Amino acid sequence: MWVRDNNDMPGHLARRFQQIAVAVFHAEAEAAGYDLTPVQYAALAAISANPGIDQVTLAGLIAYDRTTITGVVDRLAQKGLIERQASSRDRRARELTITPEGSKTLEGITPAVEAAQQSMVRGLTAEETDDLMRLLRKAIAAGNELSRAPLRGMPMENDRKTS
Amino acid sequence: MWVRDNNDMPGHLARRFQQIAVAVFHAEAEAAGYDLTPVQYAALAAISANPGIDQVTLAGLIAYDRTTITGVVDRLAQKGLIERQASSRDRRARELTITPEGSKTLEGITPAVEAAQQSMVRGLTAEETDDLMRLLRKAIAAGNELSRAPLRGMPMENDRKTS
DNA sequence: CAACGCTTGACAGTATACTGATAATCAGCA
DNA sequence: TGCTGATTATCAGTATACTGTCAAGCGTTG
């Protein structure tokens, strides 16, 4: 029976590339003296850029599942990097804000994150890296709605007030 | 503080693309009436192509961690798709073989797997898909040793005997 | 042969991801 | 106002992945 070789399967290559990306991130972060996962870093950065954001909106910004974000936020809060407090406007929602220590961590780990992004494409030229990112963005855009955790932009401020 | 946009981060794009790839696989497999994960499929196919393979070699063939493969093999065996029996030559090793039902499943699910591979790059032309796979292969080759579960080829038969 | 290092498989513990369900709450509408 | 449907956060359960550790078995070497 004929089967496509693993190396011709986009799915296998996707898994493999992600596997390496995570390993590289961990290595760089640890070398810099930080104990943050790639997932936690993305969440922390998004909270820093959007103070008071609720969990569902945060999940949409970085394309996490809403059940996954619960654990990620838990761990960030436990490390003292963020704070979670009930919203006054909507008692269901928790407003997330970064703490001073969170800001310090975010700033300190940024060079390591940058190094990781470059390390995971070490085999490619700058031009090839641009091509790869362009193709990935295009494929992802076409498949965005296929996963349970699609990427969502920030809702317009006007929408919140008006609607 | 400046931070790279998510869409410029290879790591974020890698995670996102893999997320979509897994979702597409599940959707196609379920639509075809099968309950196999992408990881289980790859393991089953590799066992089918290499009867009597041990778990460590199998893990190397598909780039899984050796602790991850334990659970995958457990679930495949529990579903009756493979068999695990002690090796006569090396009592540490378990020889893995596919069962008739496993072969039937593998054959039956193949069209769905093929459909999934095409669906996850639905936004790209055939040429772009080739480019994407080429770039991924190149990046992966350069980073292969960076993860705990690098890809390993089958050991040469001669090596086993001679060594 | 006996001691050593290495390999194979497995386990505990942690961290994503997802499915499906639920309580609490909100918002629109009869 | 009271009902209904949607939304927010959470939980239970399953499946990757990885860290670190361990017992059993293998092979080489002194």
Side-chain angles (χ1 to χ4, degrees):
Chain A
M1 180 185 54
W2 176 86
V3 278
R4 209 201 264 238
D5 185 88
N6 268 347
N7 270 1
D8 286 334
M9 298 233 205
H12 172 80
L13 298 173
R15 182 184 145 281
R16 201 72 191 87
F17 185 52
Q18 214 257 331
Q19 193 175 38
I20 291 168
V22 171
V24 165
F25 188 103
H26 274 130
E28 294 285 351
E30 189 179 354
Y34 291 94
D35 177 32
L36 264 196
T37 67
V39 162
Q40 288 166 14
Y41 164 79
L44 188 61
I47 292 169
S48 173
N50 301 277
I53 195 175
D54 67 287
Q55 292 186 188
V56 165
T57 309
L58 170 62
L61 278 186
I62 48 187
Y64 291 6
D65 190 274
R66 68 183 188 288
T67 60
T68 300
I69 206 76
T70 301
V72 175
V73 164
D74 271 349
R75 286 180 282 275
L76 285 175
Q78 191 166 9
K79 291 179 184 176
L81 305 181
I82 65 168
E83 263 185 6
R84 185 160 39 169
Q85 54 196 31
S87 165
S88 52
R89 285 178 315 176
D90 186 339
R91 272 186 300 169
R92 293 169 303 180
R94 311 298 186 87
E95 290 179 353
L96 307 176
T97 49
I98 194 167
T99 63
E101 199 191 325
S103 292
K104 216 179 72 183
T105 296
L106 188 58
E107 191 171 350
I109 202 178
T110 296
V113 173
E114 190 54 35
Q117 302 308 310
Q118 293 178 18
S119 181
M120 67 185 68
V121 290
R122 56 166 63 172
L124 306 182
T125 66
E127 195 181 347
E128 286 174 327
T129 300
D130 285 346
D131 283 348
L132 175 61
M133 288 199 292
R134 181 179 54 78
L135 292 169
L136 283 175
R137 275 194 293 266
K138 194 171 176 184
I140 290 166
N144 190 45
E145 300 302 324
L146 300 180
S147 81
R148 177 167 137 167
L151 194 69
R152 306 280 186 213
M154 275 296 278
M156 295 291 102
E157 290 297 330
N158 287 345
D159 289 1
R160 284 200 199 157
K161 291 173 189 164
T162 348
S163 120
Chain B
M1 180 187 54
W2 176 86
V3 277
R4 210 200 263 239
D5 186 89
N6 268 347
N7 269 3
D8 285 335
M9 298 233 206
H12 172 80
L13 297 173
R15 182 184 145 281
R16 199 74 192 87
F17 185 53
Q18 213 257 332
Q19 193 175 37
I20 291 168
V22 171
V24 164
F25 187 104
H26 275 131
E28 293 285 352
E30 189 180 354
Y34 291 94
D35 177 32
L36 264 198
T37 66
V39 162
Q40 288 166 14
Y41 165 78
L44 188 61
I47 293 169
S48 173
N50 302 277
I53 195 174
D54 68 286
Q55 292 186 188
V56 166
T57 309
L58 170 63
L61 277 185
I62 48 186
Y64 292 5
D65 190 275
R66 68 183 188 287
T67 60
T68 300
I69 205 76
T70 301
V72 175
V73 164
D74 271 350
R75 286 181 282 276
L76 286 175
Q78 191 167 8
K79 291 179 184 175
L81 305 182
I82 65 169
E83 263 184 8
R84 185 161 38 170
Q85 54 196 30
S87 165
S88 52
R89 284 177 315 174
D90 185 339
R91 272 186 301 168
R92 293 169 303 179
R94 313 297 186 87
E95 290 180 352
L96 307 175
T97 49
I98 194 166
T99 63
E101 200 191 325
S103 292
K104 216 179 73 182
T105 296
L106 188 57
E107 192 171 350
I109 202 177
T110 295
V113 173
E114 191 54 35
Q117 301 308 310
Q118 293 178 17
S119 181
M120 67 185 70
V121 291
R122 57 165 63 171
L124 306 183
T125 66
E127 195 181 346
E128 285 174 327
T129 300
D130 285 346
D131 283 348
L132 175 61
M133 288 199 290
R134 181 178 56 78
L135 293 169
L136 283 175
R137 275 193 293 266
K138 194 171 175 184
I140 290 165
N144 190 44
E145 299 302 324
L146 300 180
S147 81
R148 176 167 139 168
L151 194 69
R152 306 277 186 216
M154 274 297 276
M156 296 292 102
E157 291 297 330
N158 286 345
D159 289 2
R160 285 200 200 156
K161 291 175 190 166
T162 348
S163 122

